[in-house]
Amino acid sequence: MKKRSYVSCLGALAVAMTLVTTSLTGGTMAKYATEVTGSATATVAAWSFKANGEDATMTDIDLGNTANRASYNEKTIKEGVIAPGTEGSFEIVVDGTGSEVGIDYSLVIKKSDSSSLPSNLKFTVGNDEYTLGNEITGTIPYSASMNKTVSVKWEWPIDTPQDKNDNDYKGSTFTLNITVTGTQQTPTAPTS
């Protein structure tokens, strides 16, 4: 029987020690705790981009109406048409008014797939000859006035000897497609 009482004593001692340890460590687990909450807000920059006052589809530009009429005698060419020996210009206004970011823009003028053009029809942007289909790029920095005017000059010269190709276009209509794209400038760090 001594064996049993020894095991019983040890079991009782283990239970007692567990109770004492639990009561001692239970008091040392208390601590202060605080939870603080908040939120973050941001105002997103405004974006506005237009070409010739339109934000989706520009009004068609009629080269016949852009011809430099002051240079031609009204008895030599009908108003509203072009012919070899005429020239003119038109403007595309790239407008970011209302945007709160700088804008990179690109402008592409190309002939439509269904049109062919006189081989000697020339275009100039600024002081540089422009090849149809090439990209014209520029930047409008963020400021109070966020627009830029791109002037495009055209000329259909009379070649000497006359270009036989010109006769192929009498009475025809050809179409140029104009695409203007605006993209937000990537913000950069100030320069020192």
Side-chain angles (χ1 to χ4, degrees), residues 98-177:
S99 287
E100 296 175 330
V101 293
I103 297 172
D104 291 326
Y105 68 86
S106 69
L107 167 67
V108 177
I109 304 169
K110 63 181 183 177
K111 70 176 191 68
S112 72
D113 292 338
S114 61
S115 292
S116 64
L117 304 176
S119 59
N120 58 338
L121 182 63
K122 297 178 185 176
F123 293 88
T124 306
V125 175
N127 294 324
D128 300 323
E129 188 170 328
Y130 174 70
T131 302
L132 291 177
N134 286 350
E135 186 176 48
I136 301 163
T137 60
T139 298
I140 303 173
Y142 170 70
S143 67
S145 173
M146 293 194 57
N147 57 46
K148 183 158 189 178
T149 301
V150 178
S151 295
V152 179
K153 295 178 184 174
W154 61 268
E155 178 184 12
W156 189 359
I158 295 177
D159 291 336
T160 307
Q162 288 185 333
D163 186 350
K164 294 177 184 176
N165 185 24
D166 290 343
N167 285 331
D168 295 340
Y169 299 97
K170 60 185 175 204
S172 66
T173 300
F174 50 80
T175 303
L176 300 173
N177 293 328

Side-chain angles (χ1 to χ4, degrees), residues 19-35:
L19 290 173
V20 169
T21 305
T22 303
S23 68
L24 289 175
T25 59
T28 60
M29 294 278 201
K31 59 183 173 181
Y32 293 118
T34 303
E35 183 178 285

Side-chain angles (χ1 to χ4, degrees), residues 28-119:
T28 60
M29 294 278 201
K31 59 183 173 181
Y32 293 118
T34 303
E35 183 178 285
V36 178
T37 62
S39 63
T41 62
T43 301
V44 179
W47 173 256
S48 176
F49 184 78
K50 296 180 179 181
N52 284 1
E54 303 294 333
D55 58 5
T57 304
M58 283 191 319
T59 303
D60 291 342
I61 297 169
D62 184 343
L63 291 187
N65 291 327
T66 68
N68 185 358
R69 292 291 163 203
S71 300
Y72 307 119
N73 182 329
E74 62 186 35
K75 293 181 180 180
T76 61
I77 186 167
K78 179 182 176 183
E79 188 170 337
V81 297
I82 68 171
T86 59
E87 63 182 33
S89 65
F90 60 92
E91 295 180 339
I92 298 174
V93 179
V94 182
D95 186 359
T97 302
S99 287
E100 296 175 330
V101 293
I103 297 172
D104 291 326
Y105 68 86
S106 69
L107 167 67
V108 177
I109 304 169
K110 63 181 183 177
K111 70 176 191 68
S112 72
D113 292 338
S114 61
S115 292
S116 64
L117 304 176
S119 59

